[in-house]
Amino acid sequence: MTSWLKTVTLGCKVNQYETQLVREGLLSIGYRDAEGQTPADLCVVNTCTVTHEGDAKSRQTIRRLHRQNPHARIVVMGCYATRAPDEVRQLPGVSEVILDKRELPDWLGRHGVIDVPRGVCRLDHHARAFVKVQDGCLLRCSYCIIPHVRPTMHSRPLSHIVDEVQGMVDRGVREVVLTGIHLGHYGVDLNAGKTKQDWTRLVQLLRALVRLPGEYRVRLSSIEATEVSRELIDVMGEHASRICPHLHVCLQSGSDEILRRMRRRWGVKRFVDRCRLIQESLDRPAITTDVIVGFPGETDVDFEHTLDVCATIGFSKIHIFPFSPRRGTPAATMSGQVSAAEKSRRIDELKAVEINLRRQYLDRLLDRRLQVLVEGQVDCRAQGTSCRYATVELPAAKKGTLVEVWPTICRDDRILAELAPNPSRHSHV
């Protein structure tokens, strides 16, 4: 008899990867995806707890799955499950809570998976694939709950990652996104007792990946600005046709005082200097960022500093988050909590700056070819993401392919383009 499976993922790229690992393991022993109205026998929910909204969406998802699949066993994992397992156990339909992702191989084994996957084949329904290279964070930013629920640093062996990426490329994946809880710390735990010349770090991983055969590109997910070393920038420049010229570095605030209250590891000047180095070393790189608005104690002057820094750097995209107090973090009980109305006002102001900065960046890309990963259709045109993390609309093209385009005009938050004549493997560099 066929057993039916539903999986739901909330939150980050790491969660998406881990859900797929569980899904592929269960499919290998006979489970089948329950699509449409097919009731599931087993539901796996991978939860998020970065914000209160993440908690709420996790609970809503579990309740919805129970209503739609009243006879299913619901297994819950992820950061919310780790942080508040008793809350999760009280939700309807929950039969098991996985407190630690390191338990997944044992959990799969108990469910009959003999050959536990060492990696994933691809992420279904995505034109790109996320590859988790490390887990855990040792930092203690005052607002972040993640080090409490993922405290153990663990890097995957380089050879495992290389084999996984090669398998994905062989199966048609054209963009691989390297991701982790603290990507810049990849290899730190592997290097204990080794001399520096024998270290394995993110740069060594990139050098190994760019040598793999096949048509594909590599993109880095979020990384701390201080960990974007000159060596990393050099590798990106040397292999510009393989490594996307895009870095997501987290600013959080443009005020030195707020950065101290956040317990970040650098001041504004150091952050700006590193972004300048990236821009001077690479050809029109996309630099994207995260900003927390309304952190406790943030004054109008502090927020103006953030606006100024964003304009100075010229981010191509800003992910804006209102401060969300998480119980158990120092920031949750700090004085100077900012009202919801003031957060909303500042978010609107920063959004206006972000729209202007994004348009300026897109305008700078109009005189060159771009390589685009086709991800879907909009009306009669294809849509995808360029190597420089710009949304592009282009004539009809096959989903999941890399194509070269010539931009013609910017419209709102995207570029309209035509297919480039005489494509060259290096022309988007």
Side-chain angles (χ1 to χ4, degrees):
M1 179 182 295
T2 300
S3 295
W4 297 100
L5 170 71
K6 282 186 186 291
T7 60
V8 180
T9 306
L10 299 101
C12 65
K13 297 177 179 68
V14 172
N15 270 10
Q16 293 182 42
Y17 178 91
E18 291 167 340
T19 299
Q20 183 67 7
L21 187 75
V22 169
R23 176 176 168 273
E24 289 186 9
L26 293 173
L27 292 180
S28 73
I29 58 170
Y31 277 87
R32 293 293 177 265
D33 290 315
E35 298 178 352
Q37 299 301 312
T38 302
D41 301 296
L42 174 64
C43 299
V44 178
V45 183
N46 201 346
T47 60
C48 176
T49 194
V50 170
T51 64
H52 285 304
E53 184 180 6
D55 289 353
K57 286 183 176 179
S58 297
R59 291 190 294 268
Q60 292 166 6
T61 297
I62 293 167
R63 292 190 177 104
R64 174 176 55 80
L65 284 172
H66 178 63
R67 288 195 304 271
Q68 296 173 348
N69 307 272
H71 303 296
R73 294 180 296 118
I74 299 178
V75 176
V76 186
M77 62 184 189
C79 294
Y80 176 47
T82 300
R83 186 186 67 78
D86 291 338
E87 287 182 22
V88 174
R89 291 189 183 99
Q90 299 304 311
L91 295 171
V94 174
S95 62
E96 190 171 359
V97 177
I98 300 174
L99 300 181
D100 190 331
K101 296 289 181 66
R102 291 173 296 177
E103 299 174 7
L104 289 178
D106 289 340
W107 184 86
L108 287 169
R110 292 199 305 273
H111 284 73
V113 181
I114 298 173
D115 296 320
V116 175
R118 197 169 67 179
V120 306
C121 293
R122 63 179 298 140
L123 289 182
D124 289 349
H125 312 301
H126 289 268
R128 61 171 54 88
F130 305 127
V131 174
K132 175 184 169 183
V133 304
Q134 72 83 231
D135 202 342
C137 181
L138 301 179
L139 303 184
R140 287 295 183 268
C141 297
S142 64
Y143 54 84
C144 187
I145 196 67
I146 298 305
H148 299 273
V149 295
R150 290 183 183 261
T152 304
M153 189 75 69
H154 172 71
S155 301
R156 296 176 62 200
L158 186 148
S159 62
H160 291 189
I161 300 169
V162 170
D163 289 346
E164 181 175 17
V165 171
Q166 183 66 74
M168 288 180 169
V169 173
D170 291 344
R171 285 183 287 273
V173 169
R174 294 296 173 253
E175 179 175 307
V176 173
V177 183
L178 302 185
T179 188
I181 299 301
H182 191 148
L183 181 62
H185 274 183
Y186 172 74
V188 168
D189 53 305
L190 301 176
N191 298 326
K194 295 181 180 179
T195 60
K196 189 172 183 178
Q197 63 195 32
D198 296 323
W199 280 4
T200 297
R201 296 301 303 270
L202 184 59
V203 168
Q204 284 74 35
L205 174 59
L206 284 174
R207 290 192 185 281
L209 293 177
V210 298
R211 290 195 295 266
L212 295 178
E215 183 186 10
Y216 71 100
R217 67 191 189 191
V218 178
R219 191 184 301 273
L220 299 179
S221 64
S222 179
I223 188 170
E224 300 287 6
T226 54
E227 290 155 7
V228 182
S229 64
R230 289 181 180 272
E231 187 179 8
L232 177 59
I233 295 171
D234 288 344
V235 171
M236 294 180 69
E238 292 164 8
H239 302 280
S241 63
R242 185 72 91 185
I243 304 173
C244 294
H246 167 219
L247 286 164
H248 185 86
V249 292
C250 301
L251 172 63
Q252 307 300 17
S253 173
S255 162
D256 281 329
E257 174 58 31
I258 298 302
L259 290 175
R260 281 191 289 269
R261 289 171 68 86
M262 288 179 169
R263 297 183 185 172
R264 300 292 279 168
R265 295 180 298 156
W266 56 81
V268 171
K269 184 180 184 305
R270 188 177 178 191
F271 185 95
V272 172
D273 287 348
R274 193 57 55 94
C275 290
R276 284 284 180 254
L277 178 62
I278 295 167
Q279 291 168 330
E280 291 166 1
S281 304
L282 302 175
D283 178 22
R284 283 171 277 191
I287 302 181
T288 57
T289 197
D290 296 335
V291 171
I292 296 175
V293 172
F295 190 83
E298 183 185 69
T299 65
D300 286 340
V301 173
D302 292 320
F303 181 64
E304 287 297 326
H305 289 328
T306 296
L307 296 179
D308 290 343
V309 171
C310 290
T312 296
I313 294 171
F315 294 115
S316 64
K317 188 172 182 62
I318 303 172
H319 298 275
I320 305 169
F321 302 91
F323 170 71
S324 177
R326 310 304 291 128
R327 187 174 67 249
T329 64
T333 56
M334 283 183 179
S335 60
Q337 298 287 327
V338 178
S339 70
E342 182 60 22
K343 289 179 190 176
S344 180
R345 184 192 70 79
R346 292 177 185 175
I347 286 173
D348 289 342
E349 191 170 352
L350 182 54
K351 281 182 178 177
V353 170
E354 194 262 349
I355 291 171
N356 185 50
L357 291 175
R358 183 155 183 80
R359 180 56 184 264
Q360 291 178 25
Y361 180 74
L362 296 181
D363 283 341
R364 293 175 58 217
L365 300 180
L366 291 181
D367 64 345
R368 64 164 306 118
R369 295 187 188 212
L370 295 172
Q371 185 194 66
V372 175
L373 175 66
V374 182
E375 299 174 270
Q377 297 288 135
V378 176
D379 297 326
C380 297
R381 291 172 66 83
Q383 179 173 294
T385 302
S386 79
C387 48
R388 286 172 171 79
Y389 204 59
T391 299
V392 178
E393 288 187 20
L394 62 149
K398 184 179 179 181
K399 181 177 179 179
T401 59
L402 289 174
V403 299
E404 290 183 18
V405 304
W406 190 265
T408 57
I409 192 173
C410 293
R411 181 176 294 170
D412 299 327
D413 63 343
R414 61 196 57 211
I415 290 173
L416 303 187
E418 299 300 326
L419 294 173
N422 303 318
S424 166
R425 181 174 176 268
H426 300 286
S427 61
H428 66 280
V429 178

